[in-house]
Amino acid sequence: MSESSKTAVKKQTGGRVPPEPQPVQQPELHLLEDIDALFSQAHDLRGTLQEITKIITQRIGTDVCSLYLLDSKGERLTLWATTGLDQTAVGKVSLDKHEGLTGLVIETREPVVAPDAMTHERNKYFPETGEERFHSFLGLPMSDKDKILGVLIVQSRSRRRFPQTEVRLLRTIATQVAGIIVQARVQDSLKTKERERQDYRARMLAAIQRPSAYERRRAQQTQRPGRASRLRLTGISASPGIGSGQAHLVHPVVRLDAIEEHHTNNPDAEIQHLRTALMRSIQEINALKERVQERLPEIDRAIFDVHRMMLEDVAFIEKIETQIQDGYAADTALKKVTEGYVETLERAGGEHLRDRAADVRDIGQRVLRHLLGLEEKSGPQGENLILVADDLSLSDLCRVDHRQLKGVVLANGGATSHTSILAKSFEIPTVVGVEHAAVIQQGDAVIVDGNAGVAYVNPGAEIVREYSRFDREYRAFNRNLEEIHDLPAETRDGVRIALGANIGLLSDVDFAKRHGAENVGLYRTEVPFLTYSDFPDEETQLALYQRVLTSMEGKPVTIRTLDLGPDKYPPYMKLPQEDNPFLGWRSIRISLEMADLFKVQLRAILRAGVHGPVRILFPMISSAEELLQVKNLLTQAKDELQREGKLFDPLMPVGMMVEVPAAVWLADRLAQEVDFFSIGTNDLIQYLLAVDRNNRKVASLYEPLHPAVLNAIATTARAAQHAGKRVSMCGEMASDPLCTLVLLGVGLDELSMEPFFVPVIKRLIRSLSYTDAQSLTQEVTQLGTAREVKGRLFSTLKDLGMIELVEMYR
């Protein structure tokens, strides 16, 4: 060591000069060499990482070595490989990047040592790993430049402190492993692009019988080392029910980003090829427009007109042809121009423009498919299909016979997306937001539990038996429910409760009637507003409402006015920047601020009343002032229609939703101004308990049977009853059989729910005595905790002999 080096070391070590560093011992050198060899030989990332954990435990002499990798969003860590812990935990154990000692490694970006991890304040225990046997913990970040990819962990049974030599060695190994991860991902990307390039060239050269996208996907899947086994994937329940079948992967046929740069010596031929592809794309869009209109009349066909107009846009076509004249092949020219449009729109920012960028990309890929001579992929054939995709478009769904579908699993999407709405309408069990859906392979056996928001991949015999038993009982129960289809929801002592259906699409009406709903207790009018290119006009809205009334054949329909919110703004509206959007500009507040457009909807609803019994419902009323403003606008709409000589229902019943605490405490006053109340429990519970049920951190606190919620419902019901007004409920609580016991005893006149739940709620009501329900409700509303309430209600269901049947629907 030089004198200058020794001086520097003295400053760092308080004057003590450490002994000269010794050469790396041979076992350590062999360990680094072994891992370096894996780096050059790595083909399968998961298998390589598993081998690394095995080598480290053997050479270091520790009991456990595990590797956790961050997901693509950098938010969650998942166990990818381990030696020493239970192997069944691999791929299942997942935690937030801020959780546990592993999360502490991410936060500090430094090694974390805990001689006794089980007593550390940051420890997070996963029973499925069996790690309670191990005490000492050492975690090191695996980083590529400034980006953390995951955490390397070693553990031992004995309580010990890891010497600095081991920490340094493992830190070096963590860097090597990070390199392996990056290299494997790059290789995987290069292999994918190479396959796509080879597919492209084959398609361009082949004159006949090109392989379909389905066949290519199937070929790729068979090259994988093995199928996923016995995985439980969690997501968000978007459509209830349980279905099982074989996985069918849905993916784009072609992608612009897979196109390599090609040139041409015959630009005239390429231009002609482009024009043919444009013409065929336009014909395809026109056909798709008609197909969607037939299945989903609420969806504005103008979205397809926008696509067609771009394909006919002179500037767009001229830019592509200019690129061709400069020597680029048609596919490359299309890619350059399309990606230029996309980049411009994405740089401009804003959700609306990002949606337009997605439209442009979709249009470009449609034209590219025709340039390659590929037909639009047909829907999957066969029975018992489970669709698996990143996301599904409306055109994807329209190519599938919903009678073939047993379930849908999506990596993206939301519970209120068009895909989810359509799946719910067809009563197809659907789980969305499944982070690890990509592990599902073509042909895998999948059980979709839309009630619990879970998908089982290649489930074991025990799970299959359990769900088979459940399915038999469910079918038998439904056969029994058919016997009461035409009977009223009437208690044993003669008190009748109206059971209505919540709908959002015209196609929902068929399901409402099929399940015996007596009316439409809630017609959500947001769908046309969310999908049209501008606010739908009065005649368009009237036509939709009229079709719903005609389909209901004289049964009452409650039409709720526009209930927009931060999770469902139409793209043509300019959104405010809000810190708390759910407490901001939404629902009736938007309608009152945009009074002219609001009156258009009021006029359409009033006119619809000529074609069948209609009740009008106003959402999110929080004060008497708001309600009086709304009623004033309704009076103005009536006066306008009267002057214009247009027919309307002047005596249409007017109701308001009780879904904010202020409305509960003002219920006595508000009841004087309306004909009925409708309790919206989804928002009411959220606002009462200050809980966002979509936030996993606090979702467990979202509790419909919380004493405060029950008392708010009882307060609202009493106010309506004192004023001689009807009171209903249209939130999800109305479809929960356990809650039915209390809601009946509170004195609600009507429950409205997803059509799927109507039969079981009817069966439960017909099994009860109204007098007993009142006594039970009086008892549970005096209890202090939700746990006590649930215990008492479960006991009652057990006494009725309905506990197992009711559990099917919870």
Side-chain angles (χ1 to χ4, degrees):
M1 180 182 293
S2 68
E3 289 304 317
S4 60
S5 298
K6 289 180 180 179
T7 302
V9 171
K10 284 182 179 180
K11 291 180 180 180
Q12 296 175 4
T13 61
R16 181 178 57 84
V17 178
E20 294 286 338
Q22 298 300 311
V24 176
Q25 296 300 312
Q26 197 67 19
E28 299 174 353
L29 181 60
H30 287 167
L31 173 56
L32 295 173
E33 289 175 345
D34 287 346
I35 293 178
D36 188 57
L38 285 174
F39 183 88
S40 60
Q41 300 171 6
H43 298 294
D44 166 44
L45 178 59
R46 193 177 293 276
T48 301
L49 296 183
Q50 182 60 41
E51 188 64 24
I52 287 172
T53 64
K54 182 179 178 181
I55 291 173
I56 291 174
T57 54
Q58 290 174 348
R59 298 296 176 86
I60 296 293
T62 188
D63 297 306
V64 174
C65 179
S66 304
L67 295 172
Y68 286 78
L69 267 59
L70 275 169
D71 61 17
S72 59
K73 298 178 181 178
E75 295 297 329
R76 293 195 66 78
L77 286 154
T78 300
L79 179 63
W80 266 65
T82 185
T83 294
L85 299 183
D86 191 329
Q87 284 294 322
T88 61
V90 173
K92 296 180 182 178
V93 171
S94 175
L95 66 159
D96 185 85
K97 68 177 181 180
H98 298 297
E99 286 186 289
L101 287 167
T102 310
L104 186 59
V105 176
I106 298 291
E107 293 172 9
T108 63
R109 306 176 77 92
E110 293 290 337
V112 171
V113 179
D116 192 350
M118 299 302 290
T119 62
H120 196 284
E121 60 181 6
R122 283 293 297 268
N123 184 61
K124 183 176 178 64
Y125 171 57
F126 292 94
E128 56 265 54
T129 64
E131 62 182 342
E132 69 275 4
R133 297 167 293 165
F134 307 104
H135 295 281
S136 298
F137 172 100
L138 169 59
L140 304 103
M142 299 185 295
S143 304
D144 176 48
K145 298 178 181 177
D146 292 331
K147 182 178 181 182
I148 294 184
L149 304 178
V151 178
L152 185 155
I153 294 171
V154 294
Q155 296 170 271
S156 63
R157 285 186 172 87
S158 61
R159 294 172 175 82
R160 54 172 288 196
R161 292 185 179 276
F162 293 90
Q164 283 300 312
T165 53
E166 284 189 6
V167 174
R168 284 196 297 269
L169 175 62
L170 288 170
R171 199 164 194 170
T172 301
I173 292 171
T175 301
Q176 282 184 297
V177 175
I180 291 176
I181 294 168
V182 172
Q183 180 69 16
R185 288 175 175 174
V186 169
Q187 288 179 350
D188 184 62
S189 175
L190 290 174
K191 288 177 182 178
T192 300
K193 289 185 179 296
E194 176 62 19
R195 284 196 300 269
E196 292 169 344
R197 186 181 67 83
Q198 291 175 356
D199 285 342
Y200 169 81
R201 288 178 175 174
R203 289 195 297 270
M204 294 296 287
L205 294 173
I208 57 170
Q209 200 63 39
R210 299 179 177 87
S212 68
Y214 172 79
E215 292 169 335
R216 289 197 305 278
R217 178 66 173 181
R218 185 176 182 182
Q220 291 175 10
Q221 294 296 344
T222 57
Q223 295 171 7
R224 293 188 181 182
R227 293 199 180 282
S229 60
R230 303 191 181 186
L231 295 178
R232 181 181 185 273
L233 306 179
T234 60
I236 301 169
S237 174
S239 178
I242 295 170
S244 62
Q246 285 192 321
H248 176 82
L249 306 183
V250 180
H251 58 96
V253 177
V254 292
R255 296 198 325 270
L256 282 168
D257 59 9
I259 296 298
E260 295 182 350
E261 188 171 294
H262 296 92
H263 296 81
T264 181
N265 294 322
N266 189 352
D268 290 341
E270 290 294 301
I271 288 174
Q272 184 57 48
H273 191 33
L274 170 68
R275 291 176 179 175
T276 300
L278 290 169
M279 178 191 67
R280 289 177 177 169
S281 297
I282 291 170
Q283 291 172 344
E284 193 173 81
I285 286 175
N286 288 337
L288 179 59
K289 173 182 174 180
E290 296 305 318
R291 192 158 65 243
V292 169
Q293 176 63 12
E294 179 182 348
R295 294 197 177 196
L296 287 172
E298 292 86 352
I299 303 301
D300 186 9
R301 289 187 295 175
I303 61 177
F304 300 105
D305 292 335
V306 171
H307 284 211
R308 190 195 70 247
M309 289 168 63
M310 182 171 179
L311 292 172
E312 296 173 341
D313 182 64
V314 174
F316 177 67
I317 297 171
E318 284 183 349
K319 286 183 179 181
I320 301 174
E321 292 185 352
T322 298
Q323 293 281 345
I324 294 174
Q325 293 289 359
D326 289 342
Y328 291 106
D331 60 338
T332 304
L334 172 70
K335 176 182 178 179
K336 286 179 172 291
V337 173
T338 302
E339 289 185 344
Y341 275 65
V342 170
E343 289 172 7
T344 299
L345 290 168
E346 289 180 340
R347 280 200 306 269
E351 187 175 354
H352 177 57
L353 292 179
R354 285 196 298 271
D355 289 341
R356 299 290 69 74
D359 286 342
V360 171
R361 187 181 292 108
D362 184 38
I363 291 165
Q365 292 184 163
R366 186 181 295 276
V367 177
L368 175 62
R369 180 164 51 78
H370 285 291
L371 281 174
L372 297 177
L374 295 173
E375 296 298 323
E376 185 177 28
K377 58 184 179 182
S378 59
Q381 300 300 314
E383 299 179 352
N384 301 330
L385 295 174
I386 305 292
L387 291 189
V388 181
D390 286 339
D391 208 343
L392 290 177
S393 66
L394 288 174
S395 55
D396 288 328
L397 287 170
C398 287
R399 283 191 291 270
V400 182
D401 184 347
H402 70 272
R403 293 169 296 184
Q404 298 174 350
L405 287 183
K406 299 301 179 183
V408 175
V409 178
L410 301 181
N412 299 310
T416 58
S417 69
H418 294 142
T419 299
S420 300
I421 291 171
L422 184 60
K424 187 177 291 187
S425 175
F426 289 151
E427 298 188 340
I428 299 167
T430 300
V431 180
V432 301
V434 180
E435 184 177 354
H436 300 293
V439 303
I440 304 176
Q441 300 182 31
Q442 182 74 27
D444 277 346
V446 179
I447 295 175
V448 180
D449 187 340
N451 298 335
V454 173
Y456 294 89
V457 185
N458 297 319
E462 183 178 346
I463 291 177
V464 172
R465 281 195 301 270
E466 183 65 18
Y467 273 98
S468 296
R469 178 191 64 79
F470 184 91
D471 184 61
R472 288 193 301 272
E473 293 179 354
Y474 171 76
R475 292 177 183 275
F477 187 41
N478 274 344
R479 284 194 294 271
N480 292 334
L481 292 178
E482 290 175 3
E483 300 173 0
I484 63 172
H485 181 277
D486 298 323
L487 298 177
E490 187 174 277
T491 64
R492 294 204 308 264
D493 47 358
V495 176
R496 185 167 179 173
I497 307 298
L499 295 187
N502 297 341
I503 71 169
L505 299 170
L506 179 62
S507 55
D508 291 340
V509 173
D510 290 335
F511 296 99
K513 293 192 293 186
R514 178 187 304 172
H515 291 298
E518 300 173 41
N519 58 59
V520 170
L522 175 65
Y523 175 31
R524 309 179 189 92
T525 59
E526 290 79 49
V527 174
F529 289 85
L530 294 173
T531 59
Y532 277 47
S533 57
D534 201 349
F535 281 98
D537 60 27
E538 183 177 326
E539 297 302 324
T540 300
Q541 293 185 55
L542 174 60
L544 283 174
Y545 305 154
Q546 183 177 344
R547 291 184 67 177
V548 170
L549 288 161
T550 301
S551 299
M552 282 302 293
E553 300 173 336
K555 295 179 179 178
V557 174
T558 300
I559 301 178
R560 185 179 67 187
T561 61
L562 194 58
D563 186 21
L564 298 178
D567 55 341
K568 46 182 178 180
Y569 280 127
Y572 45 82
M573 285 181 63
K574 185 176 181 180
L575 309 184
Q577 294 296 321
E578 299 180 287
D579 292 333
N580 293 299
F582 281 94
L583 301 178
W585 198 55
R586 58 172 302 195
S587 197
I588 200 67
R589 298 168 184 176
I590 295 176
S591 297
L592 289 173
E593 191 168 326
M594 307 175 74
D596 289 341
L597 292 169
F598 185 35
K599 276 204 295 186
V600 171
Q601 184 176 33
L602 295 178
R603 286 167 57 97
I605 295 172
L606 288 167
R607 291 174 64 190
V610 176
H611 303 282
V614 173
R615 298 178 296 185
I616 190 168
L617 179 63
F618 299 112
M620 205 181 172
I621 298 295
S622 60
S623 68
E625 290 85 352
E626 277 181 336
L627 185 55
L628 292 174
Q629 281 182 271
V630 169
K631 291 180 66 177
N632 182 51
L633 288 172
L634 184 64
T635 300
Q636 291 179 31
K638 291 179 180 180
D639 292 342
E640 291 174 4
L641 292 172
Q642 183 73 40
R643 288 195 300 271
E644 295 167 15
K646 293 182 177 179
L647 296 177
F648 68 97
D649 180 3
L651 302 177
M652 183 176 291
V654 173
M656 59 162 279
M657 293 194 70
V658 177
E659 50 188 340
V660 297
V664 174
W665 315 133
L666 291 174
D668 286 325
R669 169 70 182 87
L670 296 172
Q672 306 302 318
E673 300 293 336
V674 294
D675 299 303
F676 66 98
F677 281 157
S678 183
I679 303 174
T681 53
N682 297 359
D683 274 337
L684 182 59
I685 296 170
Q686 174 175 262
Y687 291 136
L688 275 172
L689 304 183
V691 172
D692 177 4
R693 61 177 177 168
N694 294 319
N695 182 337
R696 288 186 298 180
K697 293 285 189 181
V698 296
S700 61
L701 301 177
Y702 184 91
E703 177 53 72
L705 291 172
H706 190 290
V709 175
L710 298 183
N711 279 284
I713 293 170
T715 297
T716 304
R718 282 196 299 270
Q721 291 157 2
H722 291 162
K725 307 296 174 64
R726 290 180 63 83
V727 58
S728 65
M729 178 179 289
C730 60
E732 289 184 7
M733 193 173 172
S735 62
D736 188 332
L738 194 64
C739 298
T740 302
L741 299 170
V742 181
L743 301 179
L744 181 63
V746 163
L748 298 188
D749 301 294
E750 180 179 334
L751 299 175
S752 187
M753 61 204 72
E754 300 300 325
F756 177 83
F757 296 99
V758 170
V760 71
I761 299 299
K762 182 187 293 186
R763 172 69 177 275
L764 182 57
I765 290 173
R766 292 182 62 85
S767 303
L768 297 170
S769 159
Y770 183 69
T771 302
D772 291 343
Q774 284 182 308
S775 300
L776 177 64
T777 299
Q778 187 174 11
E779 177 185 343
V780 298
T781 51
Q782 301 303 313
L783 298 177
T785 68
R787 183 176 181 178
E788 291 176 297
V789 173
K790 287 182 176 179
R792 182 67 182 89
L793 297 179
F794 271 115
S795 175
T796 300
L797 288 176
K798 186 175 181 180
D799 292 341
L800 291 170
M802 297 192 68
I803 188 69
E804 291 184 2
L805 298 178
V806 167
E807 277 298 303
M808 295 181 185
Y809 287 80
R810 297 197 79 239

